[in-house]
Amino acid sequence: MELITILNRCHRFRGFVYHRAAFSPDHKSIEISVRPRKGSAAVCSRCHQPAPGYDQLPERRFEFIPFWGFFVFLLYAMRRVDCRRCAAVVVEEVPWADGKRTLTKAYMLFLARWARRLSWKETAQAFRTSWEKVFDAVEHVVAWGLEHRSLGQIDAIGVDEIQYAKGHKYLTLVYQIDLGVTRLLWVGKERTIASFQGFFTAMGQDVISKIAFVCSDMWEPYLKLIREKCSEALHILDRFHIVANMNKALDKVRAEETGRIKREGRDPVLKKSRWLLLRHSENLGPEQHFRLRDLLRYNLKTVRAYLLKEAFQQLWEYNSPAWAGKFLDEWCRQTMRSRIDPMKKIARSLRTHRELILNYFRAQKLLSSGVVEGLNNKAKVTMRRSYGFRTYRVLELALYHSLGKLPEPESTHDFF
Ligand SMILES: [Zn+2]
């Protein structure tokens, strides 16, 4: 069986024939020359219609999937056409490549699939290619996927941000969080009104107007645009972020108090208490429980802040928005009298966003923000994997590639 027979089986295109396969002079690569089929006209790459030939460019090498430890290249001299429709001399379109890159489409899809399982660097090493080529492959596959994905009806979205570099460099991520369909819909640079606006533009009014639930944190630019653009949707403040903010406040109280105790030369009772206090008390082991109980006997701001935080957890047990509201008001009232500034700040913010918090109960807890949280954790894992260069463009591609559930370009064969 010859190589060309195999290629005709898995990578055949009308209008072109495989002519000859041979080793390169150093025997590291297999080179297969491709020719136009006799009598078949070249296709203009601008208008995608056949057009009369003009001339032929020097032979180019298109990298194909490596085979038994040999690099494989398709060699082809591209024709130019004199296209009357476009009124220009245009290079022809070839079905195995995208016109911009030296990798064949089949090889790009192959590399991009591996780049979802391995880091881009590992993918490059595994197939003895460069990081840049893996980047090209993912870029090609993601661009195709974004162009060809169907948005369909989107009932619920979750908006979140992640920090991707030092110095307040954030990304805004929008997820679809419907029951049964969760995927990354959009990535935007920064977390400003201007950047978030890009999401609404990208989705189009038709999709946006049908969104029934929006889940977000308390970041003001998000709140503002959601109010404007999704005025019909039920906007729910993300439970996870409320708890996270409260933990931050508690941690601040603890750090301040630890410092004060140290300065005053008192017994360092708060030493190593950080995780005891931040973890949900149900998740503590017996030994930790004992230490926590011991700690709670002290009359400390940290202890009072901790008790307020623990008491707040009860909010999520309510089913009725009215009762949840009563509880929330009472908790805020108590906290405002606590004379613990970071906790008072939380209470003020909860009062400001009271209605959005109660929407969580109005949505009958259908939308667990845990979904957003889960997706965001995956996004962070994606981000942490080494992609070589942590630029916005690389992250954007990596995130769409691993979380977007994008369709893949059609392939002549499944090159697994
Ligand atoms: Zn044309």
Side-chain angles (χ1 to χ4, degrees), residues 283-350:
N283 301 334
L284 295 177
E287 165 70 8
Q288 292 168 311
H289 252 300
F290 185 75
R291 281 191 53 210
L292 180 66
R293 222 166 42 201
D294 194 40
L295 184 62
L296 294 182
R297 292 193 321 226
Y298 291 89
N299 182 20
L300 293 170
K301 268 191 178 180
T302 308
V303 168
R304 279 182 285 133
Y306 172 80
L307 293 174
L308 285 170
K309 184 202 85 163
E310 283 294 294
F312 187 81
Q313 295 302 332
Q314 203 197 316
L315 175 70
W316 311 115
E317 318 272 319
Y318 285 98
N319 289 313
S320 118
W323 284 105
K326 282 204 172 86
F327 174 86
L328 185 63
D329 295 341
E330 179 54 27
W331 187 89
C332 289
R333 207 172 55 79
Q334 274 186 31
T335 303
M336 288 310 286
R337 290 190 316 206
S338 71
R339 280 175 289 160
I340 307 172
D341 286 335
M343 297 305 284
K344 281 165 75 177
K345 201 173 149 200
I346 295 279
R348 272 194 294 273
S349 150
L350 292 177

Side-chain angles (χ1 to χ4, degrees), residues 43-51 81 83-88 90:
V43 169
C44 167
S45 60
R46 234 181 260 174
C47 63
H48 313 292
Q49 301 295 322
V81 295
C83 180
R84 258 176 248 154
R85 243 174 257 101
C86 301
V90 180

Side-chain angles (χ1 to χ4, degrees), residues 133-144:
K133 283 181 181 171
V134 177
F135 172 94
D136 276 358
V138 175
E139 188 177 49
H140 165 79
V141 167
V142 167
W144 195 96

